[in-house]
Amino acid sequence: MRRLLGTLLVLLLAACQSVPLPAPTPSHPVTDSATTPKPPPRPPRIGLALGGGAARGFSHIGVIQVLEENGIRPDLVAGTSAGSLVAALYASGKSGAELGMLAMTMDEGAITDWAFPGRALLRGEALARYVREHTGGRAIEQMRLPLGIVATDLDSGAPILFQRGDTGTAVRASSAVPAVFQPVTVGGREYVDGGLVSPVPVRFARQMGAELVIAVDISAVPDGAPTGDAMKMLLQTFSIMSRSINTYELRDADVVLRPALNGVSSADFTARKRSIQAGREAALAALPAIKAKIAALTR
């Protein structure tokens, strides 16, 4: 009996040892790094810097149209003077096609409110109303695209980038060419045309977070034309000053577009169709460079 019990015990122990134990369950699933999907490449944050140039500013619209038609959509926009008007309308959600239609139906009288006699010819409030009407009354911080508007502090000469507040007032300040538009008071300080300090706001587009800046320079080149009246002399003075400042500011742009606007003066509102076409042609010529820059900065 003892031998029988001993034999049974040995067989039982041998059977227990032959049954495999279950493998421990890992607390975290094991993944294969080779099969883990990588995040898609991120294109650079594109900033559009639209320069000043009064009626020559219609060419900005042609640039925007070509960018949109080729699937290039800026992530933010900064504008000076005439560029601030187009920037505000674009940031509010208007497409390039809509901007074109608005330009062709624009009545110059809608932004003209005489102030003479006084510190300038125009008050500028009509321009502010026009902006509010066509941007749906949105404040700068409520725009669909981040928007920056550049003006100049008349007392200190320092630039200011408006990124909050009433859009119409900011555009009016940015466009307040001395002796043409009255200075604009904001927060107890007077502001005038942003072109005095930043004709094409490249540095401010960078400040807003742009990793790639497309700059549009529409400033008039001094051409030796007669400057017999006060207005022509003033515009010629601005051309000389803008050319000097732009030499430094445009160095920081990735791509610079200069629409061919020879013969189109800053006061010529009748050449809007030609100006838009000039903007389109400049953008089409620059497309390979723009796409190459985007590809190089995509990561």
Side-chain angles (χ1 to χ4, degrees), residues 225-234 236:
T227 55
D229 62 63
M231 181 58 66
K232 288 182 179 178
M233 185 175 67
L234 179 64
Q236 180 80 337

Side-chain angles (χ1 to χ4, degrees), residues 61-78:
I61 296 173
V63 171
I64 290 171
Q65 289 176 347
V66 170
L67 292 179
E68 285 187 346
E69 289 164 7
N70 287 272
I72 300 171
R73 296 188 176 274
D75 299 286
L76 59 93
V77 59

Side-chain angles (χ1 to χ4, degrees), residues 71-261:
I72 300 171
R73 296 188 176 274
D75 299 286
L76 59 93
V77 59
T80 292
S81 198
S84 74
L85 171 58
V86 178
L89 296 172
Y90 182 51
S92 73
K94 284 185 167 49
S95 67
E98 289 172 325
L99 290 174
M101 289 188 291
L102 185 61
M104 298 311 297
T105 58
M106 181 181 183
D107 179 9
E108 187 181 347
I111 59 172
T112 302
D113 49 357
W114 298 103
F116 189 81
R119 298 172 71 185
L121 297 175
L122 303 172
R123 289 193 298 272
E125 182 52 40
L127 173 60
R129 285 197 302 270
Y130 182 87
V131 172
R132 295 182 193 114
E133 176 185 353
H134 291 284
T135 58
R138 292 185 181 90
I140 298 174
E141 66 272 19
Q142 295 173 331
M143 294 295 179
R144 295 184 181 179
L145 276 181
L147 170 65
I149 296 174
V150 180
T152 304
D153 187 310
L154 184 58
D155 295 326
S156 68
I160 181 171
L161 179 67
F162 289 108
Q163 291 184 274
R164 299 186 63 82
D166 180 69
T167 308
T169 299
V171 170
R172 177 186 174 190
S174 181
S175 306
V177 177
V180 178
F181 285 95
Q182 290 181 344
V184 178
T185 302
V186 180
R189 301 191 69 84
E190 287 190 316
Y191 295 96
V192 291
D193 189 86
L196 294 171
V197 289
S198 183
V200 185
V202 174
R203 55 181 152 151
F204 293 104
R206 294 281 187 202
Q207 181 179 315
M208 293 170 65
E211 298 166 319
L212 186 158
V213 177
I214 301 171
V216 187
D217 178 16
I218 59 168
S219 58
V221 177
D223 56 6
T227 55
D229 62 63
M231 181 58 66
K232 288 182 179 178
M233 185 175 67
L234 179 64
L235 293 175
Q236 180 80 337
T237 302
F238 266 79
S239 297
I240 295 169
M241 180 189 62
S242 296
R243 188 178 187 183
S244 177
I245 298 173
N246 276 343
T247 300
Y248 298 98
E249 182 132 25
L250 292 175
R251 290 176 181 174
D252 197 34
D254 294 282
V255 181
V256 179
L257 279 63
R258 292 186 175 91
L261 294 167

